[in-house]
Amino acid sequence: MTHLMSNYGRFPVAFVQGAGTRLYDEAGREYLDFTSGIAVTNLGHCHPNVTQAIQQQAETLVHTSNLFQIPGQEAVAQKLCQLSGLDRAFFCNSGAEANEAAIKLARKHSKEVYGEHKFEILTLEDAFHGRTLATVSATPRPKFHEGFAPLMPGFQHVAKNLAALEAAISPQTCAILLEPVQGEGGVLPLTPEFLQGVRNLCDQHGLLLILDEVQTGIGRTGTMFAFQQAGIQPDILTLAKALGNGIPVGATLATEQVASAFTPGTHGSTFGGTPLVMAAVLATLQTIEEEGLLQQAVEMGEQLALRLQDLLEHYDCLSEVRGLGLLRGVVLDRPVAPLVAKCLDLGLLVLSAGEKTLRLLPPLTVSSQDIHLGIKLLEQALQEVITPVAQP
Ligand SMILES: *Cc1c(COP(=O)(O)O)cnc(C)c1O
């Protein structure tokens, strides 16, 4: 009998080793990993640079607490601010925590500047912002709310169009929170025009723009952050998943003016930004630069999208390929779960996003040969679970 809680539906396979794009199970069987641990191991499994950084730091100093200076935090904050155009960073341990900090910061800043009445945050349909009580309240998905009422007040869920957003803005609105590509919601990219429109609305109404790049950040979409492709700047940016290539870490970045609301004692985290974690993050960010992985994500992402587009021609049940860089979704006309299970049988790890979207997240280090193999296995899985369109 298991002593684990049953909150996950797990596949009956345990991986014991990983290297690059490959994972190995207890029987020594090899799998091609197009999930990257849900957008986490963007450099592939056990990248030697990150492994070495963790090993060296583990032998030197693991944890001290935020009562003291942590030079690694200064180094990572400087790098992230230089990359994002923001000014200040706060470190925590997960995406939900990064969003929690963003929500608290937005409320505190807005109350100080405009008054106690200004606290409400607008979020979008199909969004996903995490599983803590505040972030689940920000997430407009009834499935994630069931049994957890009362939810946290102060959020309003809005349809994904500028008119609806503008209509939802009231004197109590303080921020708009959104993902540039909605990952869990079904790999739904927001257009640059929409994102620019949201930025304008924020400027007109004195609202903060909070971008949740927990999934899209750290090169996943072909630029370090997805917002860079829309030509906008956020006031607050949240990161996590791939930031430490598998070491748990989250970050909330903000402009100088907004960040100034976090004075000593207002927010904190025991584990946030330990020397060990910061060493892994620094190695991750340096490796992306050294190995030219943003360019590789663009090129491999285009190859992947083209090959998926090819599959659309041959399978009636596939209706659309969408996404950016190496965050790609394929829309099915039926539940995607059987296809995901069949891919696993064949040695290919893939994800779903919502009920009917297949989600592919290969590491940024993926090669053309890996893409070729992945598509071959995916097509084999499609043939076994779905009947192809008869060819003339
Ligand atoms: C995964 C995810 C989160 C939650 O991150 P956790 O580390 O699981 O708390 C929040 N926002 C987005 C966009 C995500 O993809």
Side-chain angles (χ1 to χ4, degrees):
M1 184 204 127
T2 180
H3 290 284
L4 295 173
M5 293 198 188
S6 331
N7 56 315
Y8 298 113
R10 298 176 195 265
F11 290 106
V13 54
F15 300 112
V16 293
Q17 207 186 334
T21 51
R22 299 301 200 274
L23 280 171
Y24 302 87
D25 71 11
E26 290 166 308
R29 183 171 177 217
E30 184 179 288
Y31 297 78
L32 177 60
D33 184 3
F34 274 15
T35 70
S36 301
I38 320 187
V40 168
T41 50
N42 277 9
L43 309 182
H45 293 285
C46 300
H47 191 288
N49 294 3
V50 182
T51 301
Q52 196 190 23
I54 296 168
Q55 281 174 342
Q56 276 177 3
Q57 192 60 47
E59 288 168 5
T60 315
L61 182 64
V62 171
H63 174 86
T64 55
S65 89
N66 285 301
L67 293 172
F68 307 104
Q69 307 288 321
I70 300 178
Q73 283 189 22
E74 296 285 352
V76 173
Q78 189 193 4
K79 189 118 200 93
L80 288 175
C81 287
Q82 176 218 324
L83 289 165
S84 66
L86 292 164
D87 303 310
R88 298 272 188 157
F90 163 78
F91 294 107
C92 52
N93 315 285
S94 69
E97 269 185 272
N99 285 335
E100 287 270 350
I103 291 162
K104 286 177 73 177
L105 183 61
R107 281 190 180 181
K108 192 154 189 304
H109 165 83
S110 302
K111 283 164 181 267
E112 281 170 10
V113 174
Y114 300 100
E116 274 299 310
H117 64 283
K118 204 159 167 94
F119 61 83
E120 190 179 72
I121 297 178
L122 307 182
T123 63
L124 298 182
E125 63 179 328
D126 301 316
F128 179 78
H129 297 297
R131 299 289 204 146
T132 62
L133 203 44
T135 56
V136 93
S137 304
T139 299
R141 311 265 285 278
K143 198 181 93 182
F144 295 163
H145 295 166
E146 228 168 87
F148 300 126
L151 295 181
M152 186 83 66
F155 297 99
Q156 195 187 148
H157 308 140
V158 185
K160 260 181 289 183
N161 66 73
L162 292 174
L165 267 175
E166 183 152 36
I169 295 169
S170 76
Q172 65 182 27
T173 313
C174 83
I176 300 176
L177 164 62
L178 58 83
E179 309 147 82
V181 183
Q182 298 176 311
E184 309 293 322
V187 191
L188 300 157
L190 302 179
T191 63
E193 296 72 36
F194 179 81
L195 291 170
Q196 288 156 13
V198 175
R199 178 70 266 182
N200 287 340
L201 280 180
C202 287
D203 293 343
Q204 282 163 25
H205 296 271
L207 315 180
L208 300 177
L209 176 58
I210 310 173
L211 295 184
D212 176 349
E213 293 229 25
V214 168
Q215 186 157 164
T216 53
I218 319 302
R220 176 51 57 189
T221 69
T223 45
M224 189 54 84
F225 311 109
F227 75 76
Q228 294 168 318
Q229 293 175 53
I232 55 162
Q233 269 295 123
D235 302 293
I236 304 179
L237 174 68
T238 60
L239 303 171
K241 291 194 164 90
L243 187 53
N245 206 51
I247 297 299
V249 56
T252 306
L253 306 181
T255 60
E256 183 69 37
Q257 201 223 349
V258 173
S260 67
F262 271 1
T263 51
T266 49
H267 191 57
S269 161
T270 298
F271 288 126
T274 66
L276 181 73
V277 166
M278 290 298 105
V281 174
L282 206 54
T284 301
L285 296 174
Q286 282 168 353
T287 302
I288 290 175
E289 273 175 14
E290 283 164 20
E291 297 189 0
L293 293 181
L294 298 181
Q295 189 52 35
Q296 183 153 346
V298 171
E299 286 166 19
M300 293 302 115
E302 277 167 13
Q303 273 192 28
L304 179 61
L306 281 175
R307 300 298 304 273
L308 292 170
Q309 207 67 50
D310 271 353
L311 286 184
L312 286 202
E313 316 280 317
H314 296 97
Y315 293 87
D316 243 2
C317 62
L318 308 179
S319 60
E320 191 188 349
V321 177
R322 56 195 182 202
L324 282 179
L326 284 168
L327 169 52
R328 296 287 171 173
V330 185
V331 185
L332 276 71
D333 65 357
R334 66 196 74 191
V336 69
L339 181 63
V340 173
K342 179 55 73 179
C343 285
L344 174 68
D345 277 353
L346 297 174
L348 173 69
L349 306 182
V350 295
L351 288 162
S352 59
E355 205 206 346
K356 292 181 178 171
T357 307
L358 179 74
R359 182 169 38 151
L360 301 173
L361 296 161
L364 313 186
T365 52
V366 72
S367 66
S368 288
Q369 293 92 313
D370 289 335
I371 302 255
H372 185 78
L373 176 61
I375 293 289
K376 204 179 98 187
L377 292 170
L378 177 58
E379 180 151 29
Q380 203 179 326
L382 278 166
Q383 274 166 7
E384 291 187 32
V385 298
I386 287 156
T387 320
V389 189
Q391 292 295 304

